[in-house]
Amino acid sequence: MAQWTSAVGSAQLARLLTSQQARPAGAGTRRPPAYRALADGIRLLVLEGRVPVAARLPAERELAVSLSVSRTTVAAAYEALRSEGFLESRRGAGSWTAVPAGNPLPARGLEPLPPEALGSMIDLGCAALPAPEPWLTRSVQGALEELPPYAHTHGDYPAGLPALREMLAERYTARGIPTMPEQIMVTTGAMGAIDAICHLFAGRGERIAVESPSYANILQLMREAGARLVPVAMAEGLGGWDLDRWRQVLRDAAPRLAYVVADFHNPTGALADEDQRRRLVDAARSAGTVLVVDETMSELRLDDDLELPRPVCGFDPAGSTVITVGSASKAFWAGMRIGWVRAAPDVIRSLVAARAYADLGTPVLEQLAVNWLLNTGGWQEAVDVRRTQARENRDALVAAVRRELPDWEFEVPGGGLTLWVRTGGLSGSRLAEVGERVGVRVPSGPRFGVDGAFEGYVRLPFTVGGAVAEEAAVRLAAAARLVATGAGSGAEPPRTFVA
């Protein structure tokens, strides 16, 4: 009986491996033998989750042809992986990926760092800030006071608590987008909202157009739902969407859905202007594509002089093209798993009906806590504090990276929580691997792309500031030196750091 559960074709594996090739790192670079470079490349793909564990690899001869190397090179690479525990083989069944005993399984998304590792590791993997206090505690206390009437009911509200739906509708109306409560469904975070939308609109095999790069966890959610992702390249730097490319993709690929982040894009930080928003909605309407707009970063404007455009749904008055997703996780706290969908009433009814076969509803107590915040002004007070904290962290991180890594390139966004950094020709995957050994955790660029794109990038979130940001940049610089000289295997273990 075969031990593998999926397969990776030779052409696909060759593309993923080729994406790891970076520009020469300069004098002093030690180039490993071809078989060692191939083995290291496959190991990195497994560790990052871009090649699943228990995936059957191509036969030696097939991969050799796709890579234009000798079969001996592939055979030696496979043998090296077997000896290290990253490959298992059996005659007649082929070879499949594995992880050595004691190693954690690779994560396909950006999971939080375990609390026990926080003493020695600076975590730049998760773009989320600690809870804002005292507003979190006050909101939970307020929710408990309002809970008794709900406790006498069944507690199932598939569309969300009526009071919270009404409050969210009023907030959209105040932004110039007339909205009824019937156009709102409360979900378990933005991820729950987008998962429900994908299941309703895009069955297995359907095309979904996505920005390239885009948010890693959403890309993986769509992959696991069986979607065929169609990447659309972003404009350079903070330029936002490339509308010519979008029109071409929407016309030629005719995707059922398109997923975009218009406000402080994750990971680039770009802010789409009003003209881009209008033109993208028009192009999606013409193509018959439903445009899913993620607004989770929309309240995190960090530069006071920055004027925010109208919401994307403001350019779709009929409500037939745009579905908007919001969340409390970025603006308030990731532990507050409350999200919402704004759409036409018939779409909301369909989403609510489908929810009976998913999670039934969102926890009542957390909905009451968010409703308390919105009703009392606590939400705005907490968001103001959150903006100040993120701005200070951004400025500290930018200064530290510019000082320690002057060859790295980036543009500073006016909002959001992330910095998208070109790593001076170094492999983002190798930086991520070596970074963990020297005590800094950072996600590599390919996590945010499709089919191995963005190997020369990393994403840095605005989650640390002050001395911690400075130390994070020092550790990143140490990892960069090790990668540049090919000495990553000798990296020292992380030292404990106290802010």
Side-chain angles (χ1 to χ4, degrees):
M1 179 180 175
Q3 302 297 307
W4 47 273
T5 57
S6 62
V8 181
S10 60
Q12 178 188 9
L13 184 56
R15 285 196 304 273
L16 292 171
L17 289 165
T18 300
S19 75
Q20 294 179 338
Q21 297 176 358
R23 300 192 300 268
T29 300
R30 294 203 312 245
R31 295 189 178 278
Y35 85 89
R36 184 68 261 173
L38 176 56
D40 287 348
I42 294 174
R43 176 172 53 83
L44 277 174
L45 292 173
V46 173
L47 288 173
E48 283 212 323
R50 290 191 284 147
V51 169
V53 175
R56 186 179 185 275
L57 294 186
E60 295 170 2
R61 188 184 303 277
E62 294 176 9
L63 187 57
V65 170
S66 293
L67 292 173
S68 299
V69 300
S70 69
R71 183 178 177 181
T72 302
T73 297
V74 178
Y78 278 14
E79 181 57 37
L81 290 168
R82 275 190 287 270
S83 68
E84 297 164 2
F86 285 94
L87 196 69
E88 296 181 11
S89 304
R90 196 174 69 205
R91 186 178 297 277
S95 300
W96 56 92
T97 57
V99 290
N103 276 41
L105 287 175
R108 289 175 172 262
L110 304 179
E111 78 292 349
L113 188 69
E116 62 269 19
L118 291 175
S120 60
M121 187 76 69
I122 297 176
D123 186 12
L124 299 180
C126 188
L129 292 162
E133 288 289 17
W135 295 277
L136 174 62
T137 298
R138 289 176 180 171
S139 69
V140 174
Q141 291 171 341
L144 287 172
E145 292 175 1
E146 296 176 8
L147 181 61
Y150 295 93
H152 293 292
T153 73
H154 48 64
D156 287 336
Y157 297 88
L161 293 184
L164 181 55
R165 296 175 72 196
E166 183 174 352
M167 177 57 65
L168 292 170
E170 288 177 2
R171 282 171 58 83
Y172 278 105
T173 300
R175 294 169 67 189
I177 314 297
T179 303
M180 303 179 295
E182 291 80 9
Q183 291 177 261
I184 301 292
M185 181 177 83
V186 181
T187 62
T188 307
M191 292 288 288
I194 293 170
D195 182 57
I197 293 166
C198 287
H199 279 90
L200 179 63
F201 284 93
R204 299 192 69 84
E206 291 276 6
R207 294 185 180 93
I208 300 180
V210 295
E211 298 153 324
S212 182
S214 186
Y215 179 39
N217 287 339
I218 293 297
L219 294 180
Q220 190 56 36
L221 181 155
M222 292 174 176
R223 289 187 189 102
E224 294 187 357
R228 298 164 60 189
L229 300 184
V230 183
V232 186
M234 297 282 286
E236 284 295 316
L238 298 177
W241 300 323
D242 185 325
L243 268 300
D244 290 337
R245 291 177 176 172
W246 269 105
R247 277 195 297 268
Q248 181 179 353
V249 166
L250 293 175
R251 181 183 65 246
D252 297 346
R256 185 71 182 91
L257 288 178
Y259 168 76
V260 296
V261 184
D263 300 286
F264 309 121
H265 176 261
N266 187 354
T268 69
L271 176 67
D273 62 34
E274 289 212 1
D275 184 58
Q276 289 175 319
R277 296 170 189 233
R278 179 185 297 106
R279 291 165 62 193
L280 184 58
V281 172
D282 290 344
R285 184 183 297 114
S286 297
T289 298
V290 175
L291 194 60
V292 181
V293 180
D294 187 334
E295 285 191 340
T296 54
M297 296 280 193
S298 64
E299 296 195 61
L300 292 174
R301 175 173 57 92
L302 305 186
D303 293 342
D304 293 335
D305 59 350
L306 186 64
E307 186 175 347
L308 293 180
R310 279 191 294 163
V312 178
C313 57
F315 300 96
D316 180 38
S320 59
T321 299
V322 176
I323 297 178
T324 303
V325 172
S327 171
S329 65
K330 299 299 185 185
F332 187 75
W333 184 46
M336 188 72 78
R337 304 305 305 159
I338 297 295
W340 51 87
V341 178
R342 180 200 180 274
D346 61 317
V347 172
I348 295 298
R349 286 193 294 270
S350 297
L351 288 169
V352 171
R355 198 171 193 179
Y357 308 101
D359 62 356
L360 293 179
T362 302
V364 169
L365 190 63
E366 292 185 29
Q367 292 187 72
L368 288 173
V370 171
N371 193 57
W372 184 91
L373 286 165
L374 295 174
N375 265 309
T376 62
W379 176 274
Q380 192 57 52
E381 292 174 2
V383 168
D384 288 343
V385 170
R386 181 66 91 222
R387 286 172 176 160
T388 300
Q389 183 180 11
R391 183 188 307 113
E392 292 173 352
N393 288 353
R394 178 197 64 181
D395 295 346
L397 185 65
V398 164
V401 172
R402 282 177 171 163
R403 181 179 63 250
E404 299 294 336
L405 293 150
D407 292 337
W408 287 20
E409 303 169 22
F410 54 85
E411 292 189 36
V412 181
L417 288 173
T418 58
L419 195 67
W420 186 236
V421 182
R422 192 192 301 267
T423 56
L426 300 179
S427 162
S429 296
R430 296 180 190 278
L431 283 167
E433 181 194 25
V434 176
E436 293 221 17
R437 300 181 195 171
V438 300
V440 60
R441 184 169 178 265
V442 58
S444 66
R447 292 281 188 95
F448 305 89
V450 177
D451 242 0
F454 307 109
E455 184 60 52
Y457 290 81
V458 294
R459 189 195 74 172
L460 305 180
F462 311 143
T463 52
V464 297
V468 184
E470 294 178 6
E471 177 66 14
V474 168
R475 296 186 186 187
L476 282 172
R481 287 192 296 271
L482 290 168
V483 171
T485 60
S489 59
E492 297 179 357
R495 61 187 186 279
T496 301
F497 177 78
V498 179

